[in-house]
Amino acid sequence: FWGVSRDDASARREPLRAMTRLARFADRRVAQLSGGMRQKLGLACILLHEPELLLLDEPTTGVDPVSRREFWELLAGLVSARGITVLVATADLSEAANLDAAILLDRWRASARGSFADLLARAPGVVATLPARDVPDPAVLARDLSLPPRLVEARGEEVRAFLVDWSRERAGGDDRLARAEISDHGREDVVVARFGTERSM
């Protein structure tokens, strides 16, 4: 058990099975478990050692939404109950937003850090969403609004423009956006505004 005695492993096994809700699947082989169950089993195996630090690399990739939520709830419970520090590498901003702090990497260098509220405040602005029929060419809209092309995106029947440093009042008073719905910006907008390049499109 890699440094864990059989007695300690036996004592910790059942609580971990209960915590991960895997007790009723104890007779299944690993190959018979779903992706989410395998992730939780892997976490349980690590927790046999009672670590103070967990390093997780995209732990929920390929996991169904229900198992993903259960996995994050399990981790949150561990942090709260045992004081474990968890360092997660993920490209999923919705998952990263639930963590206490985030570090954004650009070419493997830390370019911003803090809570997601802090990161959102670093790129203030609003989003204008227009019907695609009103915007034949998003690049033209980007030019008209003096925006980098990467900040104007066609999404099905809509065109979405992130107006960096614009206020709702300014957007609402601009005739070019008369038919636009104005909303708050999100996490992806900040990342694209800070790190996106024309080549990344």
Side-chain angles (χ1 to χ4, degrees), residues 17-36:
R17 282 178 176 169
M19 182 188 304
T20 55
R21 301 177 188 168
L22 293 175
R24 59 195 172 112
F25 306 106
D27 59 343
R28 289 193 189 180
R29 294 181 177 274
V30 173
Q32 296 174 313
L33 298 176
S34 69

Side-chain angles (χ1 to χ4, degrees), residues 80-96:
S80 175
R82 301 189 184 186
I84 294 176
T85 298
V86 181
L87 181 62
V88 181
T90 180
D92 188 326
L93 297 179
S94 63
E95 291 186 345

Side-chain angles (χ1 to χ4, degrees), residues 1-122:
F1 293 102
W2 296 286
V4 180
S5 70
R6 287 187 177 275
D7 289 343
D8 285 343
S10 296
R12 297 169 189 172
R13 182 182 298 123
E14 291 310 315
L16 285 171
R17 282 178 176 169
M19 182 188 304
T20 55
R21 301 177 188 168
L22 293 175
R24 59 195 172 112
F25 306 106
D27 59 343
R28 289 193 189 180
R29 294 181 177 274
V30 173
Q32 296 174 313
L33 298 176
S34 69
M37 289 178 184
R38 291 183 195 182
Q39 293 289 63
K40 289 190 285 187
L41 176 61
L43 182 59
C45 291
I46 292 170
L47 292 175
L48 277 175
H49 304 269
E50 297 190 340
E52 296 180 3
L53 172 66
L54 279 179
L55 304 178
L56 303 175
D57 184 10
E58 301 203 10
T60 57
T61 298
V63 175
D64 67 89
V66 174
S67 295
R68 183 181 299 117
R69 176 172 292 185
E70 289 179 349
F71 184 87
W72 287 110
E73 288 175 351
L74 175 60
L75 275 182
L78 288 170
V79 170
S80 175
R82 301 189 184 186
I84 294 176
T85 298
V86 181
L87 181 62
V88 181
T90 180
D92 188 326
L93 297 179
S94 63
E95 291 186 345
N98 294 322
L99 304 176
D100 292 332
I103 299 174
L104 297 182
L105 298 178
D106 182 25
R107 296 176 180 85
W108 299 105
R109 293 187 178 182
S111 59
R113 65 185 68 204
S115 69
F116 257 95
D118 296 334
L119 298 179
L120 287 175
R122 295 183 186 212

